[in-house]
Each structure stands twice: as structure tokens, then as C-alpha cells.
Amino acid sequence: MATLRKLAVPILFLVTMLASLTLGRFGAYLVHSVAIAAIGALGLNLLTGFCGQISFAQGALLGVGAYTAGNLGNAGWGIWAIVGAGVASAMTSLAIGLPALRLRGLYYAIATLAAQFILEYLFKILEPITNGISGLLIQPLKLFGRPVVGDQALAVLSLALLLAAYSFLRWLMKTNVGRAMLIVRENELVAKGMGIDVARTKIWAFVTSGFITGVAGAMIGFTTRLANPEAFQLSLSVDQVAMIIVGGQGTWAGPFLGAAFVVLLPEAIQRTGEAFDIARLLFALRDMAFGLLIILFLLFEPRGLSALLRRLVRWVSSLLPSTRTSVLTVKSHPSPPGDPNE
Amino acid sequence: MNRTVRSALLAALLCIASPAIAADTINVCVWGTITGPDALVNGMSYGTHDYFTYLNQNKGGIAGFKVNSLLLDGRYKLDEELKIYRRCVDQENAVFINGWSTGAAKALRETVTQDGVPFISETFSSEVVDPVKYPYVFVAGPTYEQQMLVGLRAAKAAGAKKVVLMHGDNEYGRGPVTVVRKSGEIEKMGLELVDAIEFKYDAQDLTAQLLRVKSKKPDVIYIQSSTPQTLVILRDAAKVGLPPTKFIGNMYNISPTIPQQLGAAAEGFRAIQIYADYGADIPAMKEILTFKAKNEVAKQDVYYMKGWLEGKVMAAGIENAIKKNGGKVPADLKAFRKSIRDETEALKNLDVGGITPPLTFANHQGSTQARMAKVKNGHYVSVGSWIDAR
Amino acid sequence: MTFYLQIVTAGLATGSVYALIALGIVLIYKCSGVVNFAQGGYAMLGAYVTYALTRLGLSPILALVASVAVMAVTGAATEFLLLRRMLKAPVVAVMMVTLGLLILFKAFCLAIWGPDQIAFPQLFPVGSVEMGGILVTYNYIAAAALSLLLSVGFLAFYRYTPMGLMQRCAADNGRAALAIGIHVSNQVSVAWAMSSALAGLGGSLLATLNSLSLGLSSIGLVAFPVIVLGGLNSLMGSLVAGLLLGVLEAVTDGVLTPALETYLRSHTAIYSVGALQQVVPYLLVGLMLMVRPQGIFGERGTERV
């Protein structure tokens, strides 16, 4: 039983990877869109969900990742371009976070808002690096000397990176640094009283979250093959924040569920509209549903979709006679030491 | 009542369940900004989509085959547009795709070529027009750069010496201005470029910028921006005492909104005209009125005319490809797409019902002709004759 | 000299509207510690309501008054239906709710009035006067005057009326206010109503200047630098900072950018610095947060929420 639990997540990933190989291009595109958004959301969730710092600069940080990966990839760095992108975003995240170390909550949020706008401006102005407004054209990512172009291959790669990011974060939250983050989120004074170096803990959060975001940004670059300033605006930051809220802040399943929800909702509404031949009416409804759901979740279920899922699983398993636990239960019931759900 | 609802639901369910692609229909895909920052000019997408509906209703489709046209909303967001492109190619089996933004056209120009799908875009960017490098990409008119040169040439002919360029800080704004500025074409014309001013693409107040323009004492100011910002420019120009007669905009500024909202502050404003205006006395307008008798026309403006024209170009390419195959829709999708591309490129002196002079598509942009239109008594009137922009 | 006078005049005109919008945000923050991201949304909604009412046949001024009333009710309703349920929620969650509201309002206006720019009814007579060598339309004079009048009026209301006293009391110390018999929740409702009414008025004024579109809601983002510079809990601060920022933007556009570009063009390969005006306020915000997080007029200690 215990081994099954441990293996459930990798098995789930493996199945998704194999399944995405059989999908058409459109389906595979959706898979890598969701996977990449989930990597970004995992990064943000570390900062916001586990360390209590809300950030509106996520869109710009993804941009830093995409531009760095694009430049390095075009220069022939191969897979190292992704690592480089992570490092660049981590440094940027640190540069935003350091001066804001003594700011809390609201003021930190406004500081990141300022950072978002300043970075957007830099994307447009630093022509030698970003190619300005017309955008940086990015060569396909080269893995072992072969270009990765198909959406199916990109989906598999994105899923692999998502699994890596997830596993790393699971490990991190079990270390002392991870536990310190949770205490800082709850109360900085208490953390200080316990002898935790608050500043250093926050710096860890900024760097780690930035690195993971940079990896997501790199994959955005390699899938769209064009990094331009219009793609990394504030609305992308808002989307990312919405993902962790709808999914469930500070939960493990949250970023996955939130990313899937935010990326797939417009498509679902669009298809429904077409099926009933009212697509033109529904064009506006898409955003309305988005706004309304954010409000409703925050009002009635602050733990988001992951709490709903948990309830659903509990309800289903109460219907089942035996003690068999489904794979889903395992995924939605992670309880390592230091888990914020406890 | 209840029974009607139930049977309607059942019918809808059956529609979802049954595969949408029936034999012998022609699938095309149109995406535009239905909702989003540049929705003002989305008549282009409605026009193309409506033209196919018109063909189905009045001409029995193309060469006897119904056209299945899908209109989608790209929201002027790159990821959304890339997603839609994949849907059109992969799921809808579109034989011709009509896309929207400059960004998407640039991001997709190589993919389109690899996929071998005929692709016509609303952009006029010179970076996607290349019959050799991007054989599957088409546009429907002179590039932004060519439009700018036509406007400046007309100003030069009227005795202008000093030029100021104004543009937004997006791809559509900065791109063409940089190309023209670096090419040295302005100086070759005998004009002096005294300043180029960039502003936020959704700026709501440009008084200070126009004071800067005024201090340079230009004879002509060329605007490369969307209509909402052209409105702001002309409004604030009136505020600082710059007459509208000094301003020239490109084909996206020929919107009736400008004289409607500005009144006297727009009198004498000039814009580039490529397509006949909605309501002009031309054969294509008669078709549109026939369509309007049974359907709703979402946007009654010059952009709708552009869309209608693109529909005609796509339909002509498709029709010729079917003719070549002995009047049948080719069974092989790939071959059909290739054949449509070849036939579109081979279009010669295609009559487009007077929206533009007859079109030849060997250059992948059809018309390269433009002329000036001027606001007079609240309406655009054409001035001068067609000038070839090349 | 005239040139600089012109620049300042233009800056003051836009700055006064910034101040009006920022004032509304500060009003709510003072009273309930909530930062309202949806302020731009209320401004936009107010403008659309004014437009809709004139379409129904109301005279423009009457429509404006009615729309302000509608927005006041909307604001109070927001507080009653949403915010009151979130008293114990973290600041961040409340912030996100207002962000959700902004998205909702935009979608609502999109669904009803469509994505295109609409000509806004003339609220004020057409025409202009020359001020400092610049033609200032009556629209601008009226918008600026009304904004300033209202801002000053609010400061006075807050300081000198019993209602203002209760508001200040509730804002200052909720528990103490409760103890002396002030219904704090109702005071918060009143603050929301006033704030939304201000936003609605500001939005309508802005629409007379810039015509009506969904883009109007972005005024809410412009207001953020204003409130940080002025101090989140200072009404006076938002007024001063609003005007200051308006002038600063105009100076950036009219003086700083051209000077910088002239220098760069003659000494480097860089031709343009782009829309510098959009980032200058945020650079200032970054600086301010580092040096004096409570803002020019703010009181110490508010940065720790």
C-alpha cells in the first residue's frame, strides 16, 4: 500500500506522457500548455502559498526565462538553455525580493507590480537582448543534437520538467528551509523567536521560486518560438495568481488543478458555445466565468479545487464497500511532515 | 414546450456526438480579435466569414460544394492564436486559414510552410511576405512600409519638407517605422525626418507629445497607430493648435469613427485607402446587400470590405484547385492544400467586385496600390488616383 | 517658457482625475484595510451607466447624477455581499477578490456594450479657452475643477462633519469605535458607497475627455503609484500625489524623453527610449518603497499590514 502511494505520482505522469504521444497536435498543445502553466504555478505557489508573499511579477519572470532560453538556445546551449533561464529568473526574482525584504503583504505586492511594469518596459527597450518589440525568434530546442519540434515531444518534455519541479519541491518542503518557510508565512515574529533567519528563508523562497518560474518561461519560449513583450504582460501574472487561488493556495494538487482549469476553461466554454451555436454570445461569457469563479472560490472555498477534489474523493470512497484506495486519493492526500494542510 | 426543449437538447447532443466533417464540404478557418484590444477593426474577420455564408446561400458554395467556415476569437493573444491555429490544421482540417495578428503570423510563418497550409493574414508586415521563403503565407494589400511611403510621397508632392512620425509601442507601431527610418527612403524622397515619437499603444492622453511635435514645426505628421490612438492624437492636436490637415494615417485610420467623434478636429485629416469604402457603388457592395437582406452585418466599414475581398481571394484559389481536379474535392487533404496554394499564387487579374483594382497574387500580396482619402464634411472622400506603392 | 506652462497645464488636468480615482482607493483602505484593485472597474462601469442612461433619454447632467447614485449603491452592495463575508480572510485573498471583480465588470461591459470605442455624450458645452498658450477645452476645465472641488470637499467632510468623524474613528481603531457605539460595518459600507460614487464620477469625466471604452478601467492601475507616493492612508496625499504624477508624466513626455532621445541619438546607436512615461511612476514607486514605504503623507507603521 505504502509503495503504491509513493509510486502513484510517477505512474500518473508516465501514463499522461504516453497518452500525450497518441494525441493529435491540438491535444498535445493543450497538454504542454497546461504542464508549463503548472510549472509556473508551482513556482508561484512556493512563494505565495508556502511563504506568504503574493507576487504580481510572475508574468515578467516568465518573460525573463523565455528571453534567456531563447538567446542561449539560439547560441547552441541545448538543454542548458533551460537551466540558464532558471538561473536568470532566479537572479531577477532575488533582485526584486531583496529590496522588498522588509515589506510585507500588500506593500510587497505593490513592489512586484512595479517590477512587472519596469521589466515589461525593459523587454521593449533592450533591443540587443530582446530584439525589442518585434520579438525574439527562437530556434527549436536541441536535445542530444536533435531539434524538438512536434507538440507531442514538447508535451512529454514539459511533463518531465513538471515532474522534476514537483519532486524537487516535495523534497525541499521536507528540509529545514522548507519548514522555516511555513512558519514565516504564519507569523514572522514567531519565526524570529524560534531562531529562524527570516531574511535568509525568504531569499531561499525568492531564488527557488524564480528558478522554477524561469524553467517554465524557457518552455514557453521553446513552444511558441517567439518571445515578444506583449506575451508577458500583467494579465499573465494575474492568470498565474488565479491558478493558485482556484487550485488551492499552499496545497500540492492546487497548481496542477488550477493550471488545468485556467488554461482549459476558455476552450471548454468555446466548445460548448459552438455545440449550441451560440459561440458569439459566449465570447464575453468566458471572462465573466473567470472573474466570477475567482470570487466564488475565495468566498466559499479558499482551499480551492483541491479541497473540492478531496471532498469528491472522500464521497466516492465512502460509496465503495472495500478499503481499496484509488490512485486519485493518493494524489490528493499528500501528508508529508510540514504539510500546510495538516 | 417541455417537449420542444427536450428534443432540442437531444438534437444538440446528436450534433456533438456525430462527426462534424461530412463528405464533400470545404473547411476553412477564420480567426480574429472578436473581443480584445483591436476589436474595432474586426470587420475583417466577419467579412471573410460572411462571404462564405453568402456563397452557400446564393451560389451553392464553391463549385457546388458547401463551405464550412469557422469563426474563432484569438483575443489578440499569441498563445490563444497558436492554439487556434493547431485546432484549424489538426482538428478542423481547414484547407485555407485566415489569421490575425502580426505576432502570430511571424511566429507561425515557418510552421505554416512545414504544414503546407495556405494561410492569409490580416497583417501587412513585410516580414511575412516572401513568396520564396514563406510560400504558403499571403496578405491582402501593400505593406505598412509601402503605405507610409505612399502617404509621404503625396505630402512631398504637396510641398512638404519636414516630417514627424508618431507610433505606438507595439509591433504594429514600432516595426514598420523602424524599417522605413533605417532604409533612408525618407531622405531619398527629399524630405527631412525631424522626429519620431513613440507612445504607449493604449495611451489616453498625448498632449505633451503633441506639444513636442509642434515645437519641431513639421509640415506633415504620419501616424502609425490604431484608430483609438489616432482619435487621441487628433483631439490633442486640436488642443495645442496643430491643424488636422497636417496628419496622415494608414489604412487602419480610415474608420468613420474618426469624423463621427471629432467633428471639426478631423476635417482635412488624410488616410491611406486601399479598399473601397462600405456603401461604395461597386458590384461587391451589391453582393453584400444581398447578404444583408437575410443576415446581420456586424461591422459596416472599410474593414468589412477587406474581409470580403479576402474571402473572394480564398474562394478563387479553392475553386481553381477543384477545377483542376476535374470538379471534385481532392481526397488527399495535403494535395488539396498544396494545390490551393499554387492556384492562389497563380491568380491573375482576379476581379474582386471593385473593392480594389483586379488582383494578381504572384507577389503574395495582391494589390500594392493605394490612394489618399480625406475627411470632408464628416466623410472620407478619395483624392487623387491609385499610386503603386512599390 | 510658454512651452513649460503648457506642459504643466496639461499635466494638472489629467492629474486631477488621477487624484479623484486614488482618493476612492484610499477612502476604502483607511476604513477597512482593503486595497481595491477594482477601482478602475467601477470608474468604467460608472461611465457606461451614464452613457446608457443618456441613451434612455435622460439629459447628460441628469444621467451623470443618476449614474453616481447607481454606483454608490453598487459599491455598498459589493461591501455587503462580498467584503463583509471576508473580514477574517488574509489581505491577499481580499485583494484577489477585488481583482476578480475587475475582470467581472470588464466582461459585463463587454457583453452589453461590445468591444468598440463609443462616442460619449457631451456633458459640458463644446468650446475652449486659451490658458497659458494652450487651448483648454471646457471639458478639461470642468473635469479638473470638479475633481479638485470634490477632493477638497471630501477632505473637509472627513474633518468637520459628524459622519466624517465616525468614519475617521472607525478607520483609526475599529474596536474602540465599536465600544463607543459606532456601527463599524456600516461605516465601511458608507466608505465603499462613497468610493464607488467617486470612481463612477471620475470614470464619466474621463470618458468625456477620452471617449468610452473598456480601456477606461486601466485608470485603476495608474492610481496605484499615486496612492503609494501619497501614502496609503492619506487623503491629502492622494490629492497632492495625483496632481504631482500628472505633471510628472507630462514633463516626461514633453521634456525628459525628447532631451534624452536627442542625447542618445547623437551619441549612441539608440534611437528611442520608447514610452518612458509608463515606467517613470513605477520607478518612483520602487524608490519610495525602499526609502519611505509609508509615502510622502502617510503615517509610519502602515507598511506592516
Side-chain angles (χ1 to χ4, degrees):
Chain A
M1 202 57 216
T3 39
L4 183 69
R5 280 194 171 202
K6 260 186 196 160
L7 285 177
V9 172
I11 288 172
L12 208 65
F13 268 94
L14 207 67
V15 171
T16 324
M17 277 185 209
L18 288 175
S20 56
L21 278 177
T22 66
L23 287 172
R25 277 169 75 187
F26 180 77
Y29 180 83
L30 289 183
V31 169
H32 67 66
S33 296
V34 171
I36 294 168
I39 301 176
L42 272 173
L44 185 63
N45 194 37
L46 177 71
L47 200 61
T48 307
F50 292 149
C51 201
Q53 310 282 314
I54 193 166
S55 165
F56 286 111
Q58 190 74 356
L61 282 179
L62 287 168
V64 171
Y67 280 115
T68 314
N71 277 307
L72 297 179
N74 288 354
W77 278 43
I79 191 87
W80 293 103
I82 297 178
V83 180
V87 172
S89 286
M91 290 302 117
T92 316
S93 171
L94 187 63
I96 300 168
L98 270 186
L101 262 185
R102 63 200 190 99
L103 302 174
R104 243 186 81 81
L106 177 62
Y107 279 81
Y108 179 74
I110 293 177
T112 57
L113 196 65
Q116 168 73 33
F117 283 111
I118 293 168
L119 282 168
E120 264 181 42
Y121 176 73
L122 290 178
F123 293 157
K124 288 179 183 170
I125 285 304
L126 295 177
E127 298 221 340
I129 306 169
T130 64
N131 201 24
I133 280 159
S134 46
L136 182 70
L137 284 168
I138 299 172
Q139 302 298 319
L141 170 69
K142 281 213 169 123
L143 265 185
F144 311 115
R146 290 176 59 180
V148 186
V149 274
D151 286 299
Q152 290 86 354
L154 285 165
V156 171
L157 180 63
S158 308
L159 283 167
L161 287 170
L162 177 60
L163 178 61
Y166 175 77
S167 314
F168 170 71
L169 284 176
R170 283 311 286 245
W171 169 80
L172 181 78
M173 292 316 286
K174 280 182 200 157
T175 64
N176 284 339
V177 176
R179 285 175 211 177
M181 283 179 195
L182 293 176
I183 300 166
V184 168
R185 177 188 68 176
E186 291 311 321
N187 193 326
E188 286 193 15
L189 282 179
V190 171
K192 270 185 194 149
M194 292 173 71
I196 291 170
D197 187 339
V198 173
R200 222 178 68 185
T201 309
K202 279 193 192 172
I203 287 173
W204 268 107
F206 291 136
V207 171
T208 319
S209 147
F211 186 88
I212 294 171
T213 307
V215 170
M219 287 313 292
I220 292 181
F222 287 125
T223 49
T224 56
R225 306 268 305 282
L226 175 78
N228 71 351
E230 284 167 24
F232 303 106
Q233 289 175 342
L234 182 65
S235 58
L236 183 61
S237 300
V238 173
D239 278 356
Q240 287 261 307
V241 175
M243 279 174 205
I244 60 168
I245 285 179
V246 172
Q249 282 181 69
T251 64
W252 286 110
F256 296 85
L257 297 171
F261 189 81
V262 171
V263 174
L264 299 181
L265 177 74
E267 193 60 26
I269 293 180
Q270 166 77 24
R271 297 291 175 126
T272 316
E274 281 169 28
F276 293 96
D277 206 21
I278 45 169
R280 282 194 200 187
L281 274 177
L282 288 182
F283 283 143
L285 205 74
R286 219 175 23 205
D287 289 347
M288 219 182 277
F290 189 49
L292 204 60
L293 282 166
I294 292 179
I295 296 173
L296 290 179
F297 268 114
L298 282 164
L299 222 53
F300 298 112
E301 189 49 274
R303 287 249 164 241
L305 281 172
S306 67
L308 285 186
L309 181 72
R310 180 170 311 182
R311 245 182 268 158
L312 182 76
V313 167
R314 209 170 288 159
W315 180 70
V316 169
S317 54
S318 75
L319 293 181
L320 296 174
S322 73
T323 52
R324 268 171 38 220
T325 338
S326 70
V327 174
L328 262 178
T329 330
V330 180
K331 187 170 184 272
S332 68
H333 213 294
S335 313
D339 185 272
N341 297 328
E342 291 297 295
Chain B
M1 181 62 210
N2 213 344
R3 182 179 282 178
T4 337
V5 173
R6 243 185 297 168
S7 46
L9 273 176
L10 192 69
L13 275 174
L14 282 175
C15 283
I16 306 170
S18 62
I21 307 153
D24 290 348
T25 55
I26 299 162
N27 301 304
V28 296
C29 232
V30 181
W31 89 71
T33 301
I34 306 301
T35 64
D38 55 356
L40 191 67
V41 294
N42 65 18
M44 298 191 284
S45 300
Y46 285 114
T48 309
H49 181 68
D50 289 353
Y51 181 69
F52 291 117
T53 313
Y54 165 81
L55 286 182
N56 286 342
Q57 286 175 354
N58 299 287
K59 310 272 171 182
I62 299 175
F65 299 100
K66 286 275 175 213
V67 189
N68 179 23
S69 166
L70 183 66
L71 177 67
L72 294 163
D73 184 9
R75 292 194 279 167
Y76 200 67
K77 283 177 85 175
L78 184 60
D79 53 350
E80 193 71 28
E81 292 187 69
L82 295 182
K83 185 174 89 186
I84 289 175
Y85 170 77
R86 282 167 172 83
R87 176 176 170 190
C88 295
V89 176
D90 186 45
Q91 294 199 317
E92 305 298 337
N93 294 321
V95 294
F96 212 138
I97 297 175
N98 185 311
W100 186 267
S101 76
T102 304
K106 273 172 69 179
L108 285 169
R109 59 190 182 186
E110 275 154 20
T111 317
V112 165
T113 310
Q114 282 158 11
D115 293 340
V117 188
F119 181 78
I120 187 164
S121 175
E122 301 299 356
T123 183
F124 291 113
S125 165
S126 60
E127 291 177 79
V128 297
V129 183
D130 190 330
V132 181
K133 259 165 94 182
Y134 313 119
Y136 281 85
V137 184
F138 299 89
V139 300
T143 63
Y144 296 126
E145 292 85 346
Q146 290 169 338
Q147 294 179 36
M148 202 180 300
L149 294 178
V150 166
L152 292 178
R153 237 171 253 151
K156 166 77 185 162
K161 288 190 186 69
K162 287 180 176 176
V163 184
V164 167
L165 302 176
M166 292 187 82
H167 60 94
D169 67 339
N170 51 5
E171 164 79 41
Y172 158 64
R174 195 195 281 177
V177 169
T178 312
V179 172
V180 169
R181 185 170 55 73
K182 285 188 176 157
S183 71
E185 288 286 340
I186 297 177
E187 287 73 19
K188 267 183 233 159
M189 243 181 251
L191 292 166
E192 186 195 354
L193 177 66
V194 288
D195 209 347
I197 298 174
E198 182 167 308
F199 50 84
K200 193 159 157 42
Y201 74 94
D202 58 354
Q204 297 287 317
D205 185 287
L206 293 167
T207 316
Q209 279 86 346
L210 281 148
L211 283 167
R212 174 177 165 191
V213 171
K214 198 185 176 192
S215 71
K216 304 275 178 168
K217 299 189 175 59
D219 304 306
V220 56
I221 301 127
Y222 189 89
I223 307 170
Q224 171 77 17
S225 85
S226 309
T227 299
Q229 274 56 56
T230 305
L231 282 169
V232 175
I233 290 176
L234 291 176
R235 180 198 73 203
D236 292 347
K239 221 186 283 174
V240 304
L242 277 168
T245 45
K246 286 195 175 188
F247 290 85
I248 300 178
N250 71 10
M251 69 81 57
Y252 281 123
N253 301 143
I254 201 156
S255 163
T257 321
I258 292 178
Q260 270 166 26
Q261 294 200 5
L262 292 172
E267 276 300 303
F269 170 68
R270 282 167 293 168
I272 307 283
Q273 183 180 31
I274 301 173
Y275 313 102
D277 208 349
Y278 187 91
D281 185 20
I282 50 170
M285 198 58 220
K286 297 207 173 65
E287 298 172 356
I288 294 175
L289 290 177
T290 315
F291 173 80
K292 203 184 164 196
K294 286 189 213 157
N295 311 272
E296 188 199 352
V297 172
K299 297 284 175 85
Q300 306 189 4
D301 55 22
V302 67
Y303 309 113
Y304 190 81
M305 306 298 281
K306 183 191 178 198
W308 199 265
L309 172 134
E310 283 165 32
K312 278 176 172 292
V313 172
M314 291 163 75
I318 296 170
E319 189 173 7
N320 287 353
I322 294 175
K323 265 189 206 152
K324 213 160 207 181
N325 196 43
K328 275 186 264 172
V329 172
D332 180 18
L333 185 63
K334 213 174 159 73
F336 192 23
R337 284 171 173 167
K338 170 90 170 61
S339 166
I340 291 173
R341 185 215 83 89
D342 295 343
E343 294 305 319
T344 308
E345 193 178 67
L347 288 174
K348 259 208 181 88
N349 290 321
L350 173 71
D351 176 30
V352 286
I355 300 177
T356 66
L359 297 179
T360 300
F361 258 89
N363 58 1
H364 281 221
Q365 46 179 147
S367 166
T368 52
Q369 302 193 64
R371 63 178 171 190
M372 306 299 291
K374 189 177 190 170
V375 178
K376 206 172 175 187
N377 300 323
H379 293 281
Y380 287 92
V381 289
S382 309
V383 285
S385 52
W386 294 104
I387 306 169
D388 198 311
R390 272 174 300 178
Chain C
M1 193 57 219
T2 4
F3 181 73
Y4 294 104
L5 209 65
Q6 288 171 330
I7 295 272
V8 173
T9 316
L12 285 176
T14 41
S16 58
V17 184
Y18 290 175
L20 199 61
I21 302 291
L23 203 66
I25 301 181
V26 171
L27 211 56
I28 289 175
Y29 179 79
K30 260 179 99 79
C31 209
S32 59
V34 172
V35 171
N36 184 11
F37 271 84
Q39 195 73 359
Y42 286 96
M44 173 191 65
L45 199 61
Y48 274 105
V49 170
T50 309
Y51 166 77
L53 289 174
T54 54
R55 289 293 295 263
L56 288 178
L58 253 60
S59 80
I61 294 296
L62 216 60
L64 181 66
V65 174
S67 137
V68 167
V70 169
M71 290 317 294
V73 173
T74 314
T78 313
E79 197 280 333
F80 193 75
L81 292 176
L82 296 180
L83 280 303
R84 201 165 278 200
R85 293 160 194 269
M86 300 199 68
L87 289 178
K88 286 188 181 145
V91 186
V92 168
V94 184
M95 216 148 75
M96 278 308 295
V97 164
T98 63
L99 207 57
L101 268 178
L102 177 63
I103 296 171
L104 195 63
F105 284 171
K106 272 176 96 166
F108 178 75
C109 291
L110 175 71
I112 295 185
W113 290 287
D116 294 347
Q117 206 158 16
I118 299 171
F120 199 69
Q122 281 291 337
L123 296 178
F124 309 108
V126 186
S128 57
V129 286
E130 205 174 308
M131 275 165 77
I134 180 171
L135 288 171
V136 186
T137 55
Y138 290 141
N139 269 345
Y140 260 90
I141 298 174
L146 215 55
S147 302
L148 285 179
L149 210 69
L150 265 168
S151 305
V152 174
F154 249 91
L155 289 180
F157 163 82
Y158 228 62
R159 195 152 289 175
Y160 299 117
T161 65
M163 183 78 152
L165 185 68
M166 286 204 282
Q167 284 270 317
R168 267 191 296 159
C169 204
D172 209 43
N173 189 333
R175 281 193 186 170
L178 269 178
I180 59 168
I182 296 172
H183 196 307
V184 174
S185 295
N186 283 353
Q187 289 303 324
V188 177
S189 294
V190 170
W192 270 87
M194 289 194 297
S195 166
S196 309
L198 277 184
L201 181 70
S204 300
L205 291 178
L206 212 60
T208 61
L209 306 179
N210 298 339
S211 88
L212 185 59
S213 70
L214 297 172
L216 217 57
S217 60
S218 61
I219 185 75
L221 282 177
V222 182
F224 271 96
V226 176
I227 57 168
V228 173
L229 293 180
L232 255 176
N233 54 4
S234 166
L235 291 172
M236 189 61 171
S238 62
L239 178 58
V240 175
L243 293 174
L244 209 67
L245 220 66
V247 174
L248 181 75
E249 279 189 13
V251 169
T252 310
D253 285 338
V255 184
L256 191 63
T257 309
L260 210 60
E261 284 182 350
T262 314
Y263 177 82
L264 289 172
R265 281 173 199 176
S266 56
H267 290 85
T268 66
I270 301 168
Y271 188 83
S272 165
V273 294
L276 187 62
Q277 159 266 118
Q278 78 180 100
V279 43
V280 164
Y282 284 99
L283 283 173
L284 223 58
V285 163
L287 210 66
M288 195 58 138
L289 285 177
M290 271 189 256
V291 181
R292 197 182 149 85
Q294 69 270 33
I296 307 174
F297 290 86
E299 287 152 29
R300 238 173 200 297
T302 45
E303 73 274 23
R304 299 190 69 86
V305 181

